[in-house]
Amino acid sequence: MFAALVILCSLSTYAQDSDNQEFWFVAPDASFSHNDRPTFFMITTGDTPASVTISMPANKSFKKITKNIPANSYWKYSFSNDAEISLIENDINSSGIPTQKGFYITSSAPVSAYYQIDGDRNYQKEIFTLKGKKALGTEFYMPFQKAYPISDRDEYNNEQFRQIQIVATKNGTNVVISPKSDQALFKAADGAINSKSPLESRTITLNEGETLLWRENARHTPDLIGTKITSTDKEKPIAVTLFEDCVQDGKDGSVDPIGDQLVPTHNLGKNYIVVKGYSSGNATDHAVILAVATGKTDVWIRSENNDEKKIATLSQGEYWSEDLGKGGDSPGAFYISTSQPVYCMHQSASGSELGGAILPSLYSISGKRITFMKGNKNTTVNSMFLVFRESAKDGFTIDNKRLTVDAKSIGFGDWRYAKVNLTNTTDTLQVCAVANTKGSFSLGYFNGASSTSLYGYFSAFGTFSFASDTIYHCGTSHEFDAPYALSYKWTLPDNTTSDKSVLTATKSGKYTLYVDQDPYKLTDETILCLQNFNHKFYAPSKLLVGKSYNFSIQLNPENDPYNKFNATYEWDFGEGAKVTTDIKKKWVNVYYETAGPKKVALKVTNTNAHCDTTITHEFKVLDTPEVMYWKTDAENQNWNDENNWTDAQGNDLFAVPSAQTKVYLPGPANDARNYPSLNRETDRYFYGDPEVNEIVFG
């Protein structure tokens, strides 16, 4: 049985983490006869716990659900029975008709997410990596693959088609489909549409969370590649899912789905590295290059030891399908470059079991740590594809152990790639974390068995942006690791500049970065807060048995505006302590029932920068003396001043009376100047109201 894939992503500062707290998605309608269930969402956290909510804003039948996910963990939310699948899949019979199938996933912290078709009877499986805000836009072109047809087998009961699935994020969103030709027929509510259909027939208005399917009117409809989908209002972005159901590698060959969530045209690039998979038999690897820009787009391809050659010149909406050969044949990877941004869709296979994925462009690569769950021993192919630069080749680790990779040249600058086989000799899934301390990388995961395959890239897509408007970091310095780009210009808080890709910041303040990510010239800024645990800790040096004290801490006593953060507190007062207030607060009231040396420990966690420290304090708890004396030369009238009390011999006690203490106040009873004042002069912040068993005057 094929193993489900679990991915846990923790991306670097430049992995667009802030873009991964909101996700819109619409699930395609996979063939029931080819086993479309179960399906599930997999949502995973990095170093920060997250509260995640899954909802369908336009569908009241779906009950919103929220889950608190610990750090470095995951939540698998499944759909399995007829009612659940019917509720979430956007049915093939609804083509051209608004439906209410849109998912909206929100998180309190950056997470990664994907949707998986996990059919376990006929092994129909595919993953759709959710791209967060990078999936949202107003212009998309459809990069369907060309090499393999949709199966015509009768056993699939006319349920298998190429699909374009759309979800709106705002009310009143006008979605327009623009077929390439009059042959490109899409099923509509009352017939079919093509390029000659009037605009009003090709425009559907959706509200928030509503969805729209356009599917081919009949299998093998020509000219679907390059179909354009737009939202007419730039303030009303949409998300689009591409799906090809029951794709067959030959007349009687293997059958599998191919699909992914797309990114809009403004998040595409001009440079791609395609690492070949494990195709064999009837199947070979293919890359579909789809032009989206006006004018002409030239396409070149090269590989190690092979000169670059021009393979196509494309107009907007035109494509080129390049056969890359079988997975085991040389070369093992190709570099594809274009004169203008394009989609690059890679189709590969495990043997002849097909899978496909949208590739991230080189200048969107920014992840430095990706954790995933690899398949069990029953998996035929269990592999990851890594793309990185030469400087990062020796920085890989897996499960905190050094990972040596066979870094191969692609024939383009210092870019490298590696295919890494992941071994698992057990019947269970295993979590492993891949990281790189020397540079960013992209990771494609390919998992296949004798009857299906899964393929997807768990990497950043789109163009550069800082992780958030504010970056919190514990320490005296922070290393910014810029995204891959042709050139850089940093502007520091003191207005000095740097052209380095890596910048070590030693001051808090505003940092601005300009990058040339061909063809995009981008500028973004962030506020860096270098933070520490400077504090004042309030605790007694001595305390009487039974006398309570308000232990407390003041963080950031200098009131540094960059050192302000949200904190949590965990107190440990040791043996004999009785806590009378909430132990999770920064102010805690405690008394002790036993005498002796004591130690209090306070763990403070900076929840913004995700770091912590433990502060300790040692003091003594004294048995309550029979009598305590007020000093005749007390410097103030504060009853709760530890320096104002002595024993019968005049020795300083450095403690204040408890409710069991007898005290002597010297001097005549009618002379208040000799006595403590119980009004404003007595500080009640630490010890509360004065306590005493008996007072003797004179």
Side-chain angles (χ1 to χ4, degrees), residues 654-668:
F654 300 110
V656 300
S658 72
Q660 289 75 43
T661 308
K662 179 179 181 179
V663 303
Y664 278 85
L665 302 182

Side-chain angles (χ1 to χ4, degrees), residues 31 33-34 151-160 246 255:
S31 169
S33 300
H34 192 218
S151 175
D152 282 323
R153 293 181 186 176
D154 293 338
E155 62 195 84
Y156 300 141
N157 295 313
N158 202 35
E159 299 166 350
Q160 65 279 25
C246 299
V255 176

